[in-house]
Amino acid sequence: MRLEGQCIHQSNFGWQPVYVESNLGVMSIGFLLADQDDAVAWRGPCKNGIIKQFLKDVDWGDIDYLVVDTPPGTSDENITILQYLKSTGIDGAIIVTTQQVSLIDVRRGINFCKMAGVPVLGVVENMSGLRQAISDMRFVKPSELGETDVTEWVLNYIKEKAPDLLSVVTYSEAFDSSKGGAEKMCHEMGVPFLGKVPMDPQLGKAVEEGRSCFTDQKCSASASSLKQIIQKLIKPE
């Protein structure tokens, strides 16, 4: 979110979040570090204490959503957050997974939520295949001496012979999906499957630049997938 180097300010109402926009505030341990390269090697009590401060001592104001990004698995941080938020009427947990191997941890996370009485709002399959517009791709011609960049020649050829292809988005499987992936796991465990978010280089670039992927057409390969997931989560008024 391009907030590196920001500091937390104190007011009469508590710590003030760092605002990306007027309607989006962020609180992070990174804001408390003297140097961004400092390691955060804290034991359980210290971590629990800062989590409590982030929830209790921050002036969040009148907010619609509080999203807590937690480490994967069933760590102390997740247990602590649930203990503090459960009495406030927490809506539930969104679980993110990637390839087949990570589903083992995700299953544990789902069972952890069920054991703690926290609803699982759904599972998102991240990095679900590579999607990229042809116009954003680089093309190389391999040979025994190495590779030659032929991007300019290829794009000019497409523009001349088949210009409609420039609006086509390519797709390729990044991981083995023969076992059904996250969608099959959700069916087996009785939790909602929210959707798939593809690997999109333009989305990664937007994140690095602190831009919303919904503000322009560059993230067309991923923005629509994210919108569909959001629409499933937001409760109609």
Side-chain angles (χ1 to χ4, degrees):
M1 295 187 180
R2 303 286 288 182
L3 297 178
E4 293 83 359
Q6 297 289 333
C7 297
I8 295 175
H9 298 283
Q10 182 84 25
S11 73
N12 293 334
F13 301 101
W15 285 346
Q16 297 300 304
V18 177
Y19 283 90
V20 183
E21 297 178 358
S22 60
N23 64 344
L24 178 60
V26 179
M27 184 58 68
S28 169
I29 290 178
F31 302 149
L32 302 175
L33 302 179
D35 190 318
Q36 293 299 306
D37 294 330
D38 289 346
V40 183
W42 293 353
R43 293 185 180 274
C46 290
K47 290 188 288 187
N48 293 345
I50 196 68
I51 289 171
K52 185 175 182 180
Q53 282 188 280
F54 278 2
L55 295 174
K56 182 181 177 182
D57 298 339
V58 174
D59 179 24
W60 290 108
D62 185 14
I63 57 176
D64 297 313
Y65 301 98
L66 176 66
V67 180
V68 183
D69 184 19
T70 70
T74 54
S75 61
D76 287 346
E77 292 93 328
N78 292 338
I79 296 173
T80 300
I81 290 168
L82 287 181
Q83 287 176 339
Y84 290 144
L85 288 182
K86 194 172 181 181
S87 61
T88 66
I90 181 173
D91 290 302
I94 301 169
I95 298 178
V96 181
T97 182
T98 52
Q99 54 182 306
Q100 196 72 26
V101 176
S102 72
L103 292 179
I104 299 173
D105 286 334
V106 170
R107 288 176 179 272
R108 293 172 183 156
I110 292 173
N111 286 328
F112 168 74
C113 290
K114 290 180 177 180
M115 181 180 65
V118 176
V120 177
L121 301 180
V123 175
V124 175
E125 183 176 292
N126 197 20
M127 298 192 293
S128 178
L130 174 63
R131 291 182 183 268
Q132 190 172 11
I134 288 181
S135 57
D136 292 334
M137 297 178 70
R138 306 292 297 178
F139 298 89
V140 296
K141 186 175 183 180
S143 68
E144 294 181 357
L145 300 177
E147 294 180 340
T148 303
D149 190 322
V150 293
T151 303
E152 185 177 358
W153 174 80
V154 171
L155 292 180
N156 287 334
Y157 186 86
I158 293 175
K159 288 177 184 178
E160 181 182 349
K161 302 295 184 180
D164 290 343
L165 287 179
L166 292 176
S167 61
V168 172
V169 174
T170 63
Y171 174 77
S172 61
E173 291 281 354
F175 306 113
D176 180 18
S177 60
S178 61
K179 297 181 180 179
E183 191 167 4
K184 180 182 178 183
M185 180 207 66
C186 289
H187 178 72
E188 293 172 349
M189 301 195 71
V191 296
F193 179 68
L194 296 175
K196 301 180 179 182
V197 180
M199 285 190 288
D200 178 4
Q202 289 295 340
L203 176 60
K205 188 175 181 181
V207 170
E208 291 296 330
E209 296 176 354
R211 292 186 290 107
S212 169
C213 67
F214 303 119
T215 57
D216 53 46
Q217 300 299 316
K218 294 181 179 179
C219 300
S220 58
S222 55
S224 59
S225 299
L226 289 167
K227 282 183 178 179
Q228 291 174 17
I229 292 171
I230 293 169
Q231 288 169 356
K232 291 179 182 179
L233 290 168
I234 294 179
K235 299 177 181 178
E237 296 182 358

